[in-house]
Amino acid sequence: MRKDVGVIADIHSNFTAFKTAVEYMEKRGIKEFLLLGDYVSDTTDTKETMQYIYDLMERYEVKALRGNREEYILGQRRVIRGESDAPRWLYNSASGNLRYTYELLSEKDLDFFESLPISFKYESEGYPSITCCHGSPENDRELMQIGGENTKEWLRKIDTDYLIAGHTHYQGGFEYEGKHYFNTGSTGIAIDAPGLAQCLILHGTDDSEPEGASWEAEFLNLPYDVDYVVDALYEKGLMEKGQWFISNNVFTLTTGNDLTPELINKAMELQEETTGESVKWPYIEEEYFTEAAKLLGIPDYRNGRL
């Protein structure tokens, strides 16, 4: 027998791209989905994204896990409950995006995130088992790049012949010592693929087929209305709340270039050099984000598209 499974990761509140991916897969006859985390933050349509996930779970067989963004959200919930002394998020370029997202989530959403594992083993009788995760099987923030040494180490460690993840926003796969790694890329904010929703379809054969039990990945890059997503950053107030972080997201959405880690690290470095004091995230002053963006060549979209 043969079966197909849709795999989606790193939606980042981009409901428009998410819906595009699901509808395409539905037209291909997909009735089973794996969702690999980072459902929210970075764009505006958090409520719509969460409702679409719930609707999808009612209509089809869906297995989901938690990404690092959901982990951040749950950490802030503990702060608000007085269970953690981590900082509260501010409306600034460091954490405004996350605060905006948090305020759109319901208790149902937070409880849903709490219920999710950070990895699981996908199993279907007759087909090879697949280790599924967001970052790595034990750390949702670990980057398993294609061909990376840590990725190879994980392929050696796991007890399945297939490993699938997201988080890096780089799509592709490779084989190592007879095992296979697939990365979905990002549905919501793809790197090197502006205006495209990245995801994949797993095509499986079971042990009754002549070629034996195996999985192959069909990598998808689907065009969606990226102009709506960018315009909504202004119209729904996220640009005002997230400032340079969201300006950088416009840069990524429209060009495929992502300088997020560099922007934050450079801003912190500049503030520390100027003040002579260590900086604790998210207490990074806007002037240093402005200077960092200029040094990195990130356009200033804060007051509108150029």
Side-chain angles (χ1 to χ4, degrees):
M1 292 182 64
R2 299 174 183 270
K3 71 182 305 184
D4 298 325
V5 180
V7 189
I8 294 172
D10 295 276
I11 299 163
H12 290 279
S13 294
N14 190 339
F15 168 68
T16 304
F18 183 25
K19 188 169 183 281
T20 296
V22 170
E23 290 182 345
Y24 174 85
M25 290 182 182
E26 286 179 316
K27 289 176 182 176
R28 295 277 301 272
I30 303 297
K31 298 182 183 300
E32 189 171 356
F33 292 86
L34 306 178
L35 303 180
L36 304 187
D38 274 15
Y39 309 116
V40 298
S41 80
D42 299 350
T43 62
T44 61
D45 292 350
T46 296
K47 288 183 177 181
E48 295 86 346
T49 296
M50 294 308 303
Q51 187 57 53
Y52 203 63
I53 289 172
Y54 301 142
D55 292 345
L56 196 69
M57 296 180 86
E58 288 185 0
R59 302 200 321 267
Y60 301 115
E61 184 175 347
V62 178
K63 292 198 71 172
L65 52 77
R66 185 192 308 171
N68 59 292
R69 296 292 173 152
E70 288 74 56
E71 204 73 64
Y72 300 162
I73 293 289
L74 292 173
Q76 190 67 184
R77 185 193 212 184
R78 291 190 288 273
V79 170
I80 291 170
R81 287 177 167 180
E83 299 167 356
S84 169
D85 60 0
R88 285 201 178 212
W89 292 335
L90 311 171
Y91 275 134
N92 65 4
S93 291
S95 60
N97 161 61
L98 292 169
R99 180 172 172 179
Y100 176 98
T101 300
Y102 188 91
E103 292 176 353
L104 291 172
L105 293 165
S106 67
E107 286 298 310
K108 174 185 175 180
D109 300 329
L110 299 176
D111 290 342
F112 173 67
F113 294 159
E114 196 85 63
S115 74
L116 299 175
I118 68 164
S119 64
F120 60 75
K121 188 182 294 185
Y122 172 80
E123 295 180 296
S124 183
E125 186 175 356
Y127 296 88
S129 298
I130 308 171
T131 299
C132 301
C133 56
H134 178 71
S136 76
E138 293 180 356
N139 182 350
D140 54 30
R141 296 186 68 178
E142 183 174 355
L143 293 163
M144 292 199 301
Q145 302 288 7
I146 297 162
E149 289 304 313
N150 65 318
T151 312
K152 294 176 183 177
E153 180 62 27
W154 274 113
L155 287 169
R156 285 192 290 265
K157 288 168 62 174
I158 59 175
D159 62 356
T160 65
D161 289 338
Y162 293 85
L163 173 61
I164 188 166
H167 188 45
T168 68
H169 293 219
Y170 286 101
Q171 187 183 69
F174 75 107
E175 182 178 348
Y176 179 70
E177 295 184 353
K179 293 189 174 186
H180 305 266
Y181 174 65
F182 305 133
N183 194 295
T184 61
S186 172
T187 299
I189 307 184
I191 297 176
D192 294 338
L196 299 176
Q198 295 185 322
C199 49
L200 63 85
I201 297 174
L202 289 171
H203 299 290
T205 57
D206 69 10
D207 48 19
S208 70
E209 296 293 332
E211 59 265 54
S214 66
W215 293 102
E216 291 186 2
E218 178 187 353
F219 295 102
L220 303 174
N221 288 267
L222 308 171
Y224 68 92
D225 188 356
V226 69
D227 287 331
Y228 161 79
V229 177
V230 172
D231 289 343
L233 298 174
Y234 301 94
E235 294 168 4
K236 298 186 179 183
L238 181 50
M239 181 63 76
E240 178 186 356
K241 302 295 176 61
Q243 294 292 312
W244 274 111
F245 189 96
I246 301 304
S247 189
N248 178 68
N249 283 353
V250 175
F251 184 55
T252 305
L253 285 163
T254 56
T255 70
N257 296 306
D258 179 31
L259 294 171
T260 304
E262 293 86 348
L263 175 64
I264 297 170
N265 292 335
K266 177 57 71 173
M268 291 183 73
E269 177 188 317
L270 291 168
Q271 186 167 331
E272 288 176 346
E273 288 177 354
T274 302
T275 65
E277 299 176 357
S278 62
V279 179
K280 184 177 181 181
W281 184 95
Y283 305 112
I284 310 169
E285 300 296 331
E286 292 300 318
E287 62 186 284
Y288 301 107
F289 272 104
T290 301
E291 187 177 352
K294 184 176 181 180
L295 290 170
L296 293 168
I298 299 171
D300 187 353
Y301 295 106
R302 290 176 298 167
N303 295 315
R305 300 176 72 170
L306 303 179

